[in-house]
Amino acid sequence: MAEKKDVKRYKCMNFGACTKADQGTIIEINALETIGGTPPCPYCHQHTLEEQIKKPTNWKLIGGIAAAVVVLGGGAAFMLTGGGAANEPIQKPLPTEVVDTPQIDSVKVAEEVPVAKPEKEKTDVKQAETDNTSLKTSEPKPQPKSYNMGWGVYEGPMSGGKPNGFGGSIIVRSNYSIDLKKASGETVEVSLGDKIMNVKMENGRMRQGEIHFADGTRRFISGL
């Protein structure tokens, strides 16, 4: 009779790299080779072995577990069949009526419902309208830019319906003698075709200006 080897049982734990680990194969290694630590796997040569200690089978415990499973299974069958009454009909659940609830578009409802403006905002709008009305009422009426002086037509700044200010002009329409307000009684004669530029007017009265005669000559007059 051959003498049984003294071996130890291992499993390789190098999963994914060793087929023996993936298959769960039991590897038996001579006990003499395991002295000094866990031996490497003889197939992938990695130190990933785990010792499998063989334990005796407890048949009494297995039998007890099997009996408990049978009892529990019988109880479950008894509950499912309504307490064991073979001829008792099994009540089916009543059908549930489904009520079709109309869907409400909350976005559309929000758009249709008018939003009341705050009282302060309404007051501000009325105040702005009142201010605009008062501004329109207080605005001065536009004054005419042209003024007929009898001997010529003035165009320029106006005030109170009369020529007033600097920078206007006079287009001479008929012969006219301008008094230079000198002791000698000197005057300047203007006629149709002449112009007086850069006129300074004061309450409808000419104070100074530059005469552009039709022949091309010019003369500045002041102190009128």
Side-chain angles (χ1 to χ4, degrees):
M1 182 176 180
E3 184 180 356
K4 187 177 180 180
K5 295 182 179 180
D6 184 11
V7 297
K8 288 187 177 182
R9 297 161 60 85
Y10 292 90
K11 274 188 178 182
C12 182
M13 306 303 291
N14 191 16
F15 299 105
C18 181
T19 57
K20 299 300 181 181
D22 297 336
Q23 296 173 1
T25 304
I26 299 297
I27 303 172
E28 293 185 350
I29 300 178
N30 193 330
L32 296 177
E33 298 178 6
T34 65
I35 297 174
T38 302
C41 174
Y43 299 96
C44 67
H45 305 289
Q46 298 294 325
H47 290 278
T48 54
L49 294 179
E50 184 180 272
E51 186 175 1
Q52 302 296 306
I53 301 174
K54 188 176 182 180
K55 297 181 180 180
T57 304
N58 191 341
W59 294 107
K60 290 184 179 180
L61 178 61
I62 294 175
I65 294 173
V69 170
V70 171
V71 172
L72 292 175
F78 178 81
M79 295 297 293
L80 292 175
T81 56
N87 297 325
E88 184 179 350
I90 299 175
Q91 294 184 356
K92 297 183 179 179
L94 296 176
T96 303
E97 183 179 356
V98 179
V99 180
D100 188 8
T101 304
Q103 299 294 325
I104 299 175
D105 191 344
S106 59
V107 176
K108 185 176 181 181
V109 171
E111 293 177 352
E112 293 177 354
V113 175
V115 179
K117 292 184 178 180
E119 291 297 327
K120 186 178 183 305
E121 185 177 350
K122 292 181 179 179
T123 305
D124 294 342
V125 172
K126 290 182 180 179
Q127 184 63 38
E129 292 176 354
T130 304
D131 294 343
N132 292 335
T133 304
S134 61
L135 288 174
K136 291 179 181 178
T137 305
S138 62
E139 288 179 356
K141 295 182 179 180
Q143 298 291 335
K145 293 184 178 180
S146 298
Y147 183 82
N148 189 354
M149 301 183 67
W151 55 271
V153 177
Y154 168 84
E155 291 185 358
M158 304 280 287
S159 177
K162 293 183 179 181
N164 193 70
F166 176 77
S169 63
I170 300 174
I171 306 299
V172 179
R173 297 299 186 187
S174 62
N175 296 337
Y176 181 72
S177 180
I178 302 174
D179 187 0
L180 298 180
K181 305 297 181 183
K182 293 185 178 181
S184 60
E186 184 181 356
T187 61
V188 176
E189 302 295 327
V190 292
S191 59
L192 180 65
D194 296 340
K195 298 179 181 179
I196 305 176
M197 309 300 292
N198 298 321
V199 177
K200 180 181 180 181
M201 303 294 292
E202 186 176 303
N203 196 23
R205 183 177 178 180
M206 183 172 62
R207 292 299 186 182
Q208 69 179 35
E210 185 179 25
I211 304 174
H212 291 211
F213 295 100
D215 62 1
T217 59
R218 300 182 181 183
R219 181 176 178 177
F220 179 76
I221 56 177
S222 64
L224 305 180

